[in-house]
């Protein structure tokens, strides 16, 4: 029996600061319907898909952006998306800002099956940017002010006939993300992102954003024998231009579908999960070839420590 998952990457264009949830949910539903029309089993939305990317703005009070957070999922605003998914029998993966009942703020993804039930939840592990106001920047990247680092790490869920992992934006730049998921057998890794083209700490990187985007996701796919789905919220949002270039990458590292425009658009691919075995059971047969005893520093040490005398 083949294990094909038809996956849609539902790229989004900008969301304005004052767009209400109903307007955004209508856009998500339109993309979900495009996915259903394309025969998708699963439609993947970007990071923070319900709101503008609010960490670009400083507020004195850390709760100053709480209007952009969801206190429950689903909630009344988002329920129409869950209802439509159940009606269409299409699952989805949705990124949003989560405010827990005990006051924690996370950058979160949920995986919803074709029956409209949440079957997986992931909170962003690698929180980029800064926590204090840096007025010299043309815009802020205050994720480290508004989000906590996930205490949960990376997990996988059995869904859509395969083993699914999730990661969010900056996570995709870290090889540890894919390897920890790969070590749990991940066959399909879903990644939403908001990546401003301007990187204030080193603008030399600005023209390389698209290259780096593909570089890290294709490497993660190949080195772990997994499909990777990278989905952007791109375009010029509140004056800040972000990368589009959503893509679906095979376990070979090859891009099999890529968005050629910015804005709301669905791309899709027929992901044969059994293709993963070609890599997981040969070159990247972890059981045979990995040498965890040689990698101890990866978990024992955080920053760079040069050996004495070096
Ligand atoms: N959303 C997110 O994680 N964006 C970062 C921007 C670079 S760090 C300021 C990213 O890794 O794409």
């Amino acid at each position: 029996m083949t294990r094909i998952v038809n996956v849609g990457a539902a790229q989004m264009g900008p969301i304005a600061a004052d767009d209400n949830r109903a307007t955004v949910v209508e856009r998500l539903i339109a993309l979900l319907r495009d996915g259903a029309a394309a025969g998708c089993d699963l439609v993947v939305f970007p990071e923070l898909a319900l709101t503008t990317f609010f960490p670009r703005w400083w507020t004195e009070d850390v709760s100053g952006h709480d209007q952009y957070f969801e206190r429950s999922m689903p909630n009344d605003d988002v329920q129409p998306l869950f209802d439509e998914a159940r009606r269409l029998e299409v699952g989805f993966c949705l990124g949003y800002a989560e405010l827990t009942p005990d006051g924690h703020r996370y950058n979160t993804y949920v995986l919803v099956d074709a029956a409209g039930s949440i079957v997986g939840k992931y909170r962003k592990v690698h929180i980029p940017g800064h926590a204090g106001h840096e007025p010299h920047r043309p815009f802020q990247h205050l994720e480290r002010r508004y989000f906590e680092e996930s205490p949960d790490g990376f997990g996988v869920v059995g869904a859509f006939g395969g083993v699914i992992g999730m990661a969010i934006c900056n996570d995709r730049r870290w090889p540890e993300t894919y390897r920890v998921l790969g070590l749990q057998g991940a066959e399909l890794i879903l990644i939403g992102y908001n990546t401003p083209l301007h990187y204030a700490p080193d603008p030399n990187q600005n023209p390389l954003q698209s290259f780096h985007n593909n570089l890290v996701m294709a490497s993660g796919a190949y080195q772990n024998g997994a499909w990777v789905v990278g989905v952007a919220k791109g375009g010029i949002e509140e004056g800040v231009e972000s990368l589009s270039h959503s893509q679906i990458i095979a376990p070979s590292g090859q891009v099999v579908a890529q968005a050629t425009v910015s804005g709301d658009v669905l791309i899709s691919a027929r992901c044969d999960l059994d293709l993963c075995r070609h890599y997981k059971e040969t070159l990247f047969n972890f059981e045979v070839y990995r040498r965890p005893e040689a990698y101890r520093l990866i978990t024992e040490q955080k920053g760079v420590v040069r050996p004495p005398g070096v």
Side-chain angles (χ1 to χ4, degrees):
M1 193 185 84
T2 54
R3 292 185 304 135
I4 308 288
V5 188
N6 257 304
V7 182
Q11 176 177 285
M12 298 183 76
I15 299 177
D18 57 0
D19 278 349
N20 61 30
R21 296 290 197 285
T23 309
V24 177
V25 168
E26 270 176 35
R27 285 170 59 185
L28 299 177
I29 289 174
L31 286 161
L32 192 76
R33 288 178 180 153
D34 288 347
C40 291
D41 305 298
L42 168 64
V43 169
V44 184
F45 296 112
E47 173 191 36
L48 298 177
L50 293 171
T51 64
T52 199
F53 191 77
F54 57 86
R56 73 171 64 92
W57 296 300
W58 167 260
T59 59
E60 275 306 325
D61 186 342
V62 76
S63 61
H65 284 321
D66 280 359
Q67 73 272 22
Y68 295 122
F69 283 75
E70 313 303 314
R71 287 166 174 76
S72 58
M73 188 57 62
N75 54 40
D76 289 350
D77 293 323
V78 187
Q79 189 61 49
L81 177 65
F82 281 71
D83 293 344
E84 187 65 358
R86 195 172 53 241
R87 190 183 75 78
L88 296 170
E89 296 182 30
V90 176
F92 65 89
C93 185
L94 178 72
Y96 64 98
E98 176 190 12
L99 179 53
T100 69
D102 52 350
H104 295 284
R105 294 180 180 82
Y106 297 111
N107 190 338
T108 299
Y109 236 170
V110 283
L111 183 64
V112 178
D113 70 10
S117 302
I118 293 176
V119 293
K121 184 171 186 172
Y122 167 73
R123 291 166 172 157
K124 189 171 181 176
V125 166
H126 299 100
I127 305 293
H130 49 108
H133 193 204
E134 298 188 2
H136 61 275
R137 292 176 181 248
F139 54 89
Q140 304 293 295
H141 198 108
L142 287 158
E143 283 196 69
R144 293 186 72 81
R145 176 167 179 78
Y146 298 115
F147 296 121
E148 288 174 49
E149 295 170 332
S150 166
D152 308 322
F154 298 98
V156 297
V157 289
F160 300 94
V163 183
I164 314 245
M166 292 177 272
I168 299 179
C169 196
N170 191 261
D171 289 323
R172 78 194 189 288
R173 303 186 191 273
W174 298 88
E176 293 87 347
T177 297
Y178 306 91
R179 183 48 50 92
V180 171
L181 291 171
L183 281 167
Q184 298 170 81
E187 298 173 307
L188 179 59
I189 300 176
L190 315 176
I191 306 175
Y193 59 89
N194 284 258
T195 294
L197 294 184
H198 178 70
Y199 182 58
D202 178 17
N204 292 309
Q205 296 177 31
N206 295 359
L208 302 175
Q209 292 292 358
S210 180
F211 167 63
H212 289 158
N213 184 48
N214 173 256
L215 177 73
V216 292
M217 294 194 296
S219 307
Y222 167 63
Q223 291 167 347
N224 295 278
W227 289 86
V228 169
V229 182
V231 191
K233 173 146 69 65
I236 303 173
E237 185 179 87
E238 298 291 347
V240 176
E241 186 164 18
S242 290
L243 182 70
S244 296
H245 293 190
S246 301
Q247 52 200 267
I248 301 175
I249 301 165
S252 60
Q254 293 168 292
V255 174
V256 297
Q258 180 163 12
T260 53
V261 293
S262 55
D264 289 16
V265 67
L266 184 111
I267 59 168
S268 66
R270 200 171 164 273
C271 301
D272 180 350
L273 300 185
D274 288 325
L275 273 184
C276 300
R277 290 179 35 218
H278 289 258
Y279 294 87
K280 289 185 191 292
E281 295 181 4
T282 60
L283 209 68
F284 294 110
N285 185 329
F286 292 169
E287 190 60 42
V288 174
Y289 298 116
R290 285 189 78 249
R291 295 286 314 284
E293 68 279 15
Y295 316 144
R296 279 177 37 200
L297 288 185
I298 287 179
T299 55
E300 290 178 357
Q301 187 175 307
K302 185 170 179 181
V304 175
V305 180
R306 291 192 191 179
V310 176

